[in-house]
Amino acid sequence: FMYFGVLNVVIGAFVSTTADFAAKDREHIVKFELDRMRSYIRKIRTFFKEADCDDSGTLSWEEFKAHLKNKKVKAYFQALELDVSQ
């Protein structure tokens, strides 16, 4: 019976450690996704600031269309997995 007691303690420690790793992994995944979203937002803000040719703080339709004609901008949007072909 002593072996079963020791085995129960070992299995309990293993389950506890596994649960701790799972919680940390979940926290890591959430942090990674939040960081990815922040990075995406920064990239989009940069796009709109660059497209604002007259530095008015607003983006006209003409400025937007002109910016989308730039091949580098098209490639950038494709890297962000956004279709700007239309």
Side-chain angles (χ1 to χ4, degrees):
F1 290 112
M2 186 173 157
Y3 293 113
F4 289 117
V6 172
L7 185 60
N8 192 20
V9 170
V10 171
I11 290 174
F14 176 75
V15 169
S16 176
T17 303
T18 303
D20 290 344
F21 279 127
K24 288 178 184 176
D25 189 44
R26 181 174 183 237
E27 292 172 10
H28 176 71
I29 290 169
V30 169
K31 183 185 180 314
F32 175 77
E33 279 301 312
L34 289 173
D35 290 344
R36 194 173 70 87
M37 287 173 52
R38 286 185 196 106
S39 174
Y40 188 81
I41 290 168
R42 277 193 305 272
K43 290 174 184 176
I44 295 298
R45 282 187 179 148
T46 300
F47 165 80
F48 284 110
K49 285 180 182 178
E50 289 174 354
D52 184 18
C53 297
D54 61 2
D55 292 322
S56 65
T58 60
L59 189 61
S60 70
W61 182 244
E62 289 76 25
E63 288 174 319
F64 184 74
K65 287 192 305 186
H67 198 59
L68 285 180
K69 290 180 182 177
N70 184 326
K71 289 182 182 183
K72 289 182 181 179
V73 172
K74 285 183 182 180
Y76 180 64
F77 266 76
Q78 285 178 343
L80 294 176
E81 298 179 7
L82 297 172
D83 182 18
V84 294
S85 62
Q86 297 179 357

